Amino acid sequence: MADVETLGILEEVQVLVSVKLQVVSYKWLSRNFSVSSNDAKRLLQEFVEKHGSGLEVIYTLSGYLKDSPQIYHISLVSGLKLAEVKQKFGDSCSVQVYSVQVCIPNDPAALWNAEFVQAEELFDQPSTVENCLRDNRFCGVSNSFVKRNASGEPGSVSPQPSKTGLGVTASSKTAGALPAGVVPQPQKGRVQQPSPKLGLQASTVVSTDDKTAKNAPVVHAELGKPHTNKATTVPADKKKVQNEKTSSGAGGSLANLWGRASSKSKPTCPSAETATVVTSPIVTADAQISACEALDAVSSDDDGQYSRKRESNGEISRKRRVVFDFSDDEDDNENVVSLASPDPPKGQPVLNSTHETKNLAVEEKKLNFEEKKGEKLDIKKQKTTESDSRARLKVDSEAASKNINTKISSSEKIQSHVLEGLEDQHKKNQASDAAHTSPKRKKVLRTRIDERGREVTEVVWEGDAAENNNTERNAAANGVENRPSASNKGPALGSTAPSNTAGKAGIKKMAKGAGKDSKQGNILSFFKKV
Amino acid sequence: MLELRLVQGSLLKKVLESVKDLVTDANFDCSATGFSLQAMDSSHVALVALLLRSEGFEHYRCDRNLSMGMNLNNMSKMLKCAGNDDIITIKADDGSDTVTFMFESPTQDKIADFEMKLMDIDSEHLGIPEAEYHAIVRMPSAEFARICKDLSSIGDTVVISVTKEGVKFSTRGDIGTANIVCRQNTSVDKPEESTIIEMNEPVSLTFALRYMNSFTKATPLANSVTISLSSELPVVVEYKIAEMGYIRFYLAPKIEDDEEGMQAEAQPPPEKKAKKEPKAEAEAKSEPDD
């Protein structure tokens, strides 16, 4: 790379970091300046050497841990802890600059906010435009389905926002047929490619599938093939689909918001077993929700037969709980019954290999997926509560996909110190999400964090009769309990707060005095009595 | 014996209108200096200090210091019975548990007497130290009221920042964000329409708009409002009352843990982020080496 150019980029990075206070990660750099990711890392390294003082650096440490040499670890570590964490790694660990920023953000998500926004923008470009994400130009992982040269046929990526994994699968198949690309296997040869990564990517696909929730069988087949090397572009692409789903859900975002807001009166306490009553506002969101719903109902029609049986089962067994626990230590788990899964992931030992992870993901995905469908059917049946459930469905699926993500990552033991914080936040978020997504319905998906910090998702079917009494009591009791806990959470979680506060004015007003994160000062602390 | 005769009776009416939403019961203190009130709102977040100096009354007789506990809503009800041009006289006897409001129409052809029961109110008097404020903004009161009203439709809190450039009111809410900047503007013909910013240090504080909005109920009392800010003190929102006194509202700032407070208010952005995170995270992990 020409020195002049390098200097130019470094200067710009300097400006970005110190003036715009942006987090500049190598990925962002790579995409923004169209340099390869390795070059971007080198640039950042150079930048740190030159201007590093006064800046915070986050490093990527990757290698095998001393105490668990069979698992490939990737950690994001701040400069301060670098030496410390390095100790934990074996002899050969690679240290690369992940990002530079003025200060370590409180919220780890801020680390990849910039690059996520960037990725979104890139994907939002019309499908005919080639960009570095579309043609997988800078990714260290190549993909046989995606041709790297920009001149290649862009057909391999079909970023139509509207559903149908069918379309995606089909197109990727045709792309796969293209002789161009890279041979599918060679990635295996790359020493630096950690196997968990592949699993991860696959899991990403899976989880996003969940979102699109249509193409299940086909894509599963794809995923099931152990040799399928999904490169990042595909998941990323799907991710886009997912994005658009959520953003097209902007119509329903109000519903989400309200659904979330109702968490106020919902139990976040794990022991609560009954569904709780959702507060009124959802009703007003009816119009929008049912609009979304119509859409979904249509698309879920083809799955109807499949899930009906299951659903009716659900009706009979009044209460069921499913516990997804992917971690290796489950002995201290709650006294919950694990069922409903053909081969409960519980039994899985430590997951090292890609395939296991992948399969696991698939299994779980199926599980969630089916449940979801069951729910959809429910919706159709119970016209009265359908809007509620619709709102919840959205969140549920989010929760579900999230569940997979976090599980996978934890099973892979990617112990990013930075990431952990985020995940925690996430899980808690999810927990609160899921908590308030339980309106008067038959089935409830509840996600919570147990005392070991793992996410536990329970699916509870409720009997019709007992429900109302219980719920009302619960709601009343929890209404009281919940408020302080919400405010407790406050300082720790920036992002939970919004979901709490986002909502109808009534709740907001109530929470205002006590439950807000920024504390209202007291006049008495300023003026003394005389 | 207490007898206060206020020719511009509407002032008292306006004062009550501006205070009664914030404070329900309060002690009015009468002394040789004037007729005053100090009270906190029920949540002890805001404090009202009212002073009507004795010189402002046409006739002011206060034999000894007297504290009269009144329910402001009831007092307001009675004062509403007075016409805007009426002369209001406040009368109380020593040791009596009532106060009498007498309304005289300007033409003296109608005289009304309203006697109101007093209350025993345990009130805590706070010593408010004289302080140097980092920034003092004077601006048209209607403008300030408008800003508070507008912002409160978007967010719950307002961040008031004073810099060299001007004073900025900003908020964030479900639907988005709002920033209103008022620059110094002394060139207006009418002094009451000017915006004057005296700043020693830049200052930025967060306040609950709910209170700000209730302060602006005092807007009819004065054309301009003075907002005094200091980083470690409550904001003072002061409305001058004619030539005879002032009503000051003190509001404790919201204490933020860095950006925590902002995030709490900023609902949609973190919300969006929260949604992004799973994907962003997945992305970050799935291609750590790309």
Side-chain angles (χ1 to χ4, degrees), chain A residues 26 37 107 109 112 116 140 201 243 257 260 402 409 423 426 494 501 519-524 528 530, chain B residues 40 44-45 124-125 127 156 252-253 255 260 263 267 271 273 276-277 279-281 283 285-286 288 290:
Chain A
Y26 72 86
S37 54
D107 179 3
W112 41 77
F116 184 75
Q201 287 161 2
N243 286 345
L257 218 74
R260 214 157 284 153
K402 178 59 200 149
S409 59
E423 266 178 32
H426 244 307
T501 47
K519 281 201 296 278
Q520 172 64 62
N522 191 319
I523 202 98
L524 289 171
K528 297 281 175 300
V530 286
Chain B
M40 278 182 290
H44 292 192
V45 168
E124 303 142 334
H125 227 85
D156 289 336
I255 299 145
E260 201 66 57
Q263 282 200 1
Q267 282 141 9
E271 176 111 350
K273 200 165 74 187
K276 278 177 187 171
E277 274 166 10
K279 299 157 226 156
E281 185 186 339
E283 185 190 52
K285 282 188 194 165
S286 60
D290 78 348

Side-chain angles (χ1 to χ4, degrees), chain A residues 37-250:
Chain A
S37 54
N38 281 335
D39 280 338
K41 285 175 190 167
R42 230 169 289 133
L43 276 171
L44 278 187
Q45 184 70 44
E46 203 174 313
F47 179 76
V48 169
E49 279 157 16
K50 279 185 186 168
H51 314 278
S53 60
L55 292 177
E56 293 287 348
V57 186
I58 288 186
Y59 294 93
T60 315
L61 277 179
S62 49
Y64 293 95
L65 281 196
K66 276 176 185 164
D67 48 0
S68 53
Q70 72 276 27
I71 302 170
Y72 195 86
H73 270 70
I74 301 161
S75 300
L76 295 188
V77 186
S78 69
L80 289 175
K81 290 183 183 162
L82 181 61
E84 183 189 326
V85 180
K86 219 170 168 180
Q87 296 292 318
K88 293 183 191 161
F89 279 88
D91 306 326
S92 59
C93 80
S94 81
V95 181
Q96 288 158 328
V97 180
Y98 180 81
S99 64
V100 288
Q101 54 270 307
V102 173
C103 63
I104 302 286
N106 280 350
D107 179 3
L111 278 185
W112 41 77
N113 221 17
E115 65 193 45
F116 184 75
V117 168
Q118 184 190 36
E120 246 189 352
E121 277 168 9
L122 286 176
F123 279 125
D124 279 342
Q125 291 174 0
S127 56
T128 48
V129 179
E130 274 298 340
N131 58 45
C132 60
L133 282 184
R134 289 263 164 69
D135 61 16
N136 199 24
R137 210 175 297 165
F138 304 122
C139 183
V141 185
S142 61
N143 178 4
S144 57
F145 296 155
V146 180
K147 292 208 299 181
R148 283 204 187 225
N149 51 344
S151 59
E153 178 203 328
S156 61
V157 201
S158 61
Q160 308 122 334
S162 58
K163 42 222 131 235
T164 70
L166 218 68
V168 175
T169 330
S171 58
S172 59
K173 266 184 183 162
T174 52
L178 288 177
V182 192
V183 197
Q185 299 300 333
Q187 291 91 326
K188 294 242 157 129
R190 291 176 182 241
V191 190
Q192 286 296 341
Q193 306 305 330
S195 56
K197 193 160 94 176
L198 295 172
L200 252 184
Q201 287 161 2
S203 74
T204 317
V205 179
V206 167
S207 61
T208 48
D209 279 351
D210 207 359
K211 195 73 182 178
T212 56
K214 271 115 215 169
N215 48 341
V218 192
V219 175
H220 283 328
E222 285 270 324
L223 288 175
K225 286 181 214 158
H227 66 270
T228 316
N229 284 310
K230 294 269 178 195
T232 40
T233 320
V234 174
D237 186 25
K238 297 232 180 154
K239 228 174 278 159
K240 193 211 175 190
V241 175
Q242 188 179 1
N243 286 345
E244 294 204 28
K245 264 237 144 169
T246 31
S247 59
S248 80

Side-chain angles (χ1 to χ4, degrees), chain A residues 290-304:
Chain A
S290 46
C292 303
E293 196 179 357
L295 218 115
D296 255 61
V298 171
S299 52
S300 66
D301 268 345
D302 43 350
D303 303 322

Side-chain angles (χ1 to χ4, degrees), chain A residues 508-524:
Chain A
K508 217 190 277 175
K509 284 285 139 57
M510 256 166 46
K512 204 168 165 182
K516 274 294 171 59
D517 284 19
S518 61
K519 281 201 296 278
Q520 172 64 62
N522 191 319
I523 202 98
L524 289 171

